[in-house]
Amino acid sequence: MSGMTSSDDAQPDWRMYERVVAAIEAENADMDTTVSPNVRIEGTISKVRRQIDVLIEARWPDDRRRRIIVDAKHRGRRIDVKDVESFGGMMEDCGAEHGILVALNGFTPAAERRAQDRVTLRLLDAEDVEDAMSWAVFEDCVGRCTSRRSKRPGFVTWDAQPPLGVGGAWAIVWSGKCDVCHQFHVWCWSCGEVFAVANGRRRRCGCDFRWVVSPLRGADGKVDEYVLELMTDEGTIELDHISTR
């Protein structure tokens, strides 16, 4: 797969490293959580956009108590205590109750002591990445990256959904987000179609299901998140979301 390097030390490049970390988190996530790769959210304290390698949240946005941020450290040295402390500050700014630091070359003893309970430290070395590449599934973006003929189009990591009751039957749907253009992607197992839905737009798939991505705004009028919804005759089913704050 593109993205792996052929350097002398056989190290994965930083972009593929982040993608493998996101795929591992999506694989390990429960169906009631959602995994978003490479997102930017507004810090509650700094009021600036913070880049998050992987954001893990409760799938339904009325519960923010389970927000976890993941930082993939693709570095040639061990992660030290200052890195852990800096990550703790970002957690506070992003309203995360827990954080996960993933490192290519491990951690110093001081970093391990400083992490304590709020930060989980994980080693993911080059051999682990190579093993993960044997099962991790990355789909090419079929949304804005493709339409704009981007030189570096994004990848989509699929996030399994609970079965949906639609029209008296069960439907299986997976959702995902592009890690470059951030558009929602849908894999509808009923018709087999894979497609992207732009923010604020509607789309019908091959089985005539109606999909929409709606913005949800806070009291200040700013968009808090975009929500992927399935419109049915019985009502609206909220499937997934991606936070902006």
Side-chain angles (χ1 to χ4, degrees):
M1 175 179 295
S2 62
M4 295 297 287
T5 67
S6 57
S7 60
D8 293 338
D9 55 3
Q11 298 291 304
D13 73 20
W14 68 271
R15 199 70 188 91
M16 185 52 66
Y17 191 74
E18 288 185 4
R19 285 167 170 161
V20 168
V21 169
I24 290 173
E25 295 300 334
E27 177 71 15
N28 293 334
D30 297 329
M31 282 192 176
D32 61 349
T33 60
T34 182
V35 178
S36 303
N38 187 31
V39 299
R40 286 170 173 77
I41 62 176
E42 183 181 294
T44 58
I45 302 170
S46 67
K47 301 302 179 183
V48 299
R49 308 292 286 176
R50 307 299 300 265
Q51 189 274 334
I52 309 297
D53 290 342
V54 186
L55 178 65
I56 305 171
E57 297 182 295
R59 184 173 296 280
W60 295 279
D62 57 346
D63 182 4
R64 283 289 178 265
R65 294 170 297 174
R66 298 173 59 185
R67 174 173 280 185
I68 299 171
I69 63 173
V70 183
D71 199 9
K73 296 293 190 183
H74 182 274
R75 295 183 179 175
R77 60 168 178 83
R78 291 189 296 173
I79 301 306
D80 62 23
V81 64
K82 290 183 179 180
D83 296 314
V84 175
E85 290 175 342
S86 176
F87 183 58
M90 186 165 68
M91 288 171 54
E92 182 181 6
D93 199 22
C94 296
E97 70 165 16
H98 195 78
I100 302 172
L101 270 176
V102 184
L104 184 66
N105 287 291
F107 306 87
T108 66
E112 293 174 351
R113 290 191 295 268
R114 186 68 179 89
Q116 299 181 354
D117 295 331
R118 289 193 65 211
V119 179
T120 297
L121 304 181
R122 293 181 183 166
L123 173 65
L124 187 74
D125 61 21
E127 184 177 349
D128 295 328
V129 172
E130 185 176 356
D131 289 343
M133 291 294 294
S134 66
W135 56 261
V137 178
F138 303 105
E139 295 282 351
D140 292 336
C141 173
V142 297
R144 188 163 53 196
C145 287
T146 302
S147 62
R148 293 184 176 181
R149 297 181 180 179
S150 173
K151 293 181 179 179
R152 298 195 66 181
F155 286 169
V156 176
T157 302
W158 291 113
D159 201 1
Q161 294 268 1
L164 305 175
V166 182
W170 291 105
I172 303 297
V173 173
W174 282 13
S175 64
K177 301 117 179 172
C178 174
D179 64 357
V180 172
C181 72
H182 306 111
Q183 282 191 336
F184 279 105
H185 282 58
V186 175
W187 181 3
C188 177
W189 288 27
S190 297
C191 61
E193 189 173 355
V194 176
F195 54 92
V197 186
N199 293 341
R201 302 296 296 272
R202 296 172 181 265
R203 169 72 185 260
R204 288 180 183 266
C205 65
C207 51
D208 211 31
F209 288 165
R210 295 167 290 165
W211 310 88
V212 62
V213 175
S214 303
L216 292 185
R217 301 181 183 274
D220 58 3
K222 292 183 178 181
V223 176
D224 285 338
E225 60 198 0
Y226 289 96
V227 182
L228 174 66
E229 300 170 315
L230 173 59
M231 315 293 289
T232 72
D233 294 337
E234 294 82 16
T236 301
I237 302 174
E238 186 176 299
L239 299 178
D240 204 351
H241 72 276
I242 184 167
S243 294
T244 62
R245 292 203 284 179

